[in-house]
Amino acid sequence: MDMSRLYNHLIVRRIGPPARKQPQQRNDRVALGKCETCFDERAPSDLVKFSCGHKSCYKCLEKFITGALRDESMFPPQCCGQPFEFDRFRIAPELYAEYHQKMIEWTAPKREAHDGACVIDQATKELMELAVKEGWQQCRKCERMVEKTFGCRHITCNCGHEFCYLCGADFLPWRCNCGENEYDPGAEEDEAAVEGDPRDQAIAVIGGLDADLIMIPSRILDRGESVLANEYHETLGGKGANSAIATYRTCHKRPLKDQGGVEYPGDDNIQVKMIGAVGDDRYGQKFIVELNENRVDVSGIVTVPDTRSSICFVMVETSTRENRCLFTLGATATWRKQDFSIPEQLGGGTRPDLAIAQMEIDKEVVETMIETAGKAGIDSCLNAAPATPIGKRVYRHVTHRLANESEAAIKSGRDRDEVNEESWPTIAQEFLNRGVRNVVITLGAKGAFYANAMGSDHCLAFDVNIEDTTGAGQVDFLGLLD
């Protein structure tokens, strides 16, 4: 017997035939990208990349475009100062048609200068006749026609030019060319009140616009400790932005999705305007789009070049849903006292009926706001957060003053544990003695304590499921508005 053949046969039987080469498994999962506006994850085909490098989903892209088509000051739609390249995007034909029409309407070149009188075409002639009939004014800088629907005669055009609506002349502080009389910003309001003519009311919310970077750990970490967070979110916030949206929703009818169109009671004649500052970054444009979507007037928002928007780092404890906030001012720090020295500046060019402020802005700037409002007879609401002491002379101009327990302790010179049911009336009375007309101390789950010249009381809180306390402090004053 050929032992070598037998040996080879046993080896083959023991080892077996050569193993088949297994095909490599294909990973068919497509890597997702993130929209830098809504922060949702999307397939690459559902994202567009702007020339500046930022990415957006098509839903947010349409919001950007729609917002720019509503407000000429935002046109053309852009990111980081660079206009969108529409030939690279898949957008609805009707939206592109509207964009093309606005491009013609808003960017058409002016007529070239020439000798002699201008030849006025029939359409222009009819427009000018209609303007005279309706009492419209024409901006001397950009030549746009302007119609005033409410407010004082001090007009700020979209191009930035300020003029008097009655005489059309350039507007100077407190004076115009309507005659020798000094300009009185409250004259029209007084006349309307005498005649019983209802007019729209304006609420100006002056405060911070912060991009919130939110970590949700199981507990708040101690000094020198590192804790793994369970969740991370990026969203838009800030005491100013939160207050503005909450104010609009409180004052206007709004259908409830889960109750088949039931409406909140409200007044459609109330305008809410946001007065704030953002940087020329991706967050700044998001704020304008989102506030527009929530029907807040954004004409009072200033974009500061070469500056970052304000950033707030938020920690939310999983078990209690209580939060801790750490923020940088960014563009919010650019406000100065002279920016709020006359009543019209409180409303971004128009005199408001109520000015709402927080302490996110420099203390001296806030004090100027309150004093300007008080001297002009404009109601003010000061949400004393973050806790920053203000000059005693300012309190007599404050109509409504709100503070939580920690802020009340700091402002009244007490320890936190000294703010309790026994001390609430004393703390409130101290601020009333300084000239504040209405004082509210918010107490979290215990409700709120209020006091004024008519009396005081403790209002218990509603029994609700706590999801997150972030932003809750900015809506406490809405009970006053309601």
Side-chain angles (χ1 to χ4, degrees), residues 373-446:
K375 292 175 181 178
I378 298 172
D379 285 350
S380 63
C381 178
L382 177 61
N383 184 3
T388 304
I390 61 174
K392 293 182 179 180
R393 72 183 189 283
V394 179
Y395 282 106
R396 67 178 182 272
H397 299 298
V398 177
T399 311
H400 310 285
R401 186 191 181 284
L402 284 82
N404 62 28
E405 292 173 282
S406 297
E407 294 153 359
I410 294 173
K411 297 289 182 71
S412 63
R414 290 175 170 81
D415 292 333
R416 172 64 176 78
D417 56 6
E418 292 179 322
V419 180
N420 50 46
E421 190 169 359
E422 294 182 358
S423 63
W424 297 338
T426 304
I427 295 174
Q429 189 59 50
E430 289 174 1
F431 291 111
L432 292 176
N433 293 340
R434 295 176 186 176
V436 179
R437 284 156 54 185
N438 299 284
V439 178
V440 177
I441 302 174
T442 60
L443 308 170
K446 298 189 292 292

Side-chain angles (χ1 to χ4, degrees), residues 37 45 54 59 66 80 91 104 149 151 155 176 207 233 259 282-283 286 293 305 343 363 367 387 423 429 467:
T37 300
S45 60
H54 292 135
K59 182 178 179 181
T66 302
C80 295
I91 61 174
I104 296 173
T149 56
I155 302 298
C176 64
H233 303 283
Q259 295 186 20
R282 61 191 180 100
Y283 294 120
K286 291 177 192 176
E293 287 287 316
K363 183 189 78 167
E367 290 177 341
S423 63
Q429 189 59 50
E467 296 292 335

Side-chain angles (χ1 to χ4, degrees), residues 72 105 127-128 130-169 349-350:
E72 187 177 354
E105 177 184 347
L127 174 62
M128 298 306 292
L130 180 61
V132 172
K133 178 181 177 181
E134 298 294 335
W136 301 340
Q137 277 290 355
Q138 189 174 28
C139 175
R140 294 185 178 184
K141 181 178 180 181
C142 67
E143 299 183 354
R144 292 182 178 91
M145 203 62 70
V146 178
E147 177 187 16
K148 181 174 78 71
T149 56
F150 71 93
C152 69
R153 67 193 74 171
H154 179 189
I155 302 298
T156 302
C157 182
N158 283 338
C159 70
H161 181 59
E162 299 181 41
F163 62 93
C164 173
Y165 191 78
L166 296 185
C167 66
T350 58

Side-chain angles (χ1 to χ4, degrees), residues 165-295:
Y165 191 78
L166 296 185
C167 66
D170 294 352
F171 186 87
L172 299 175
W174 301 105
R175 297 188 68 84
C176 64
N177 293 337
C178 290
E180 297 301 324
N181 295 330
E182 188 175 82
Y183 171 66
D184 180 6
E188 290 184 353
E189 286 80 355
D190 294 340
E191 292 171 5
V194 171
E195 297 172 4
D197 181 24
R199 67 177 186 89
D200 289 347
Q201 293 180 306
I203 299 176
V205 180
I206 309 169
L209 300 161
D210 304 337
D212 290 340
L213 312 182
I214 304 174
M215 290 278 193
I216 305 181
S218 58
R219 59 181 176 81
I220 300 297
L221 65 165
D222 294 327
R223 180 180 299 179
E225 184 182 23
S226 298
V227 174
L228 178 65
N230 301 322
E231 301 175 49
Y232 172 74
H233 303 283
E234 291 188 17
T235 186
L236 302 179
K239 299 182 189 302
N242 294 340
S243 299
I245 293 177
T247 300
Y248 183 89
R249 292 180 179 179
T250 300
C251 300
H252 292 78
K253 297 178 180 179
R254 186 166 181 261
L256 296 174
K257 294 181 180 180
D258 58 346
Q259 295 186 20
V262 176
E263 294 182 335
Y264 290 123
D267 190 341
D268 290 331
N269 293 325
I270 297 179
Q271 177 197 36
V272 178
K273 180 182 281 190
M274 180 70 221
I275 311 298
V278 295
D280 57 350
D281 52 19
R282 61 191 180 100
Y283 294 120
Q285 187 69 14
K286 291 177 192 176
F287 270 113
I288 293 174
V289 171
E290 290 301 320
L291 288 169
N292 254 326
E293 287 287 316
N294 284 275
R295 313 301 296 170

Side-chain angles (χ1 to χ4, degrees), residues 311-386:
I311 302 293
C312 181
F313 177 70
V314 184
M315 287 187 294
V316 181
E317 192 173 49
T318 302
S319 58
T320 64
R321 309 308 292 182
E322 292 187 351
N323 66 65
R324 306 287 190 277
C325 299
L326 182 69
F327 65 95
T328 61
L329 287 176
T332 303
T334 60
W335 289 114
R336 297 292 181 264
K337 293 193 295 183
Q338 56 266 31
D339 295 323
F340 301 99
S341 58
I342 61 174
E344 288 71 33
Q345 291 176 317
L346 298 175
T350 58
R351 175 191 173 99
D353 297 280
L354 172 65
I356 299 171
Q358 300 86 30
M359 298 302 297
E360 285 180 313
I361 302 176
D362 179 77
K363 183 189 78 167
E364 292 186 355
V365 177
V366 175
E367 290 177 341
T368 301
M369 293 178 198
I370 300 300
E371 289 182 318
T372 299
K375 292 175 181 178
I378 298 172
D379 285 350
S380 63
C381 178
L382 177 61
N383 184 3

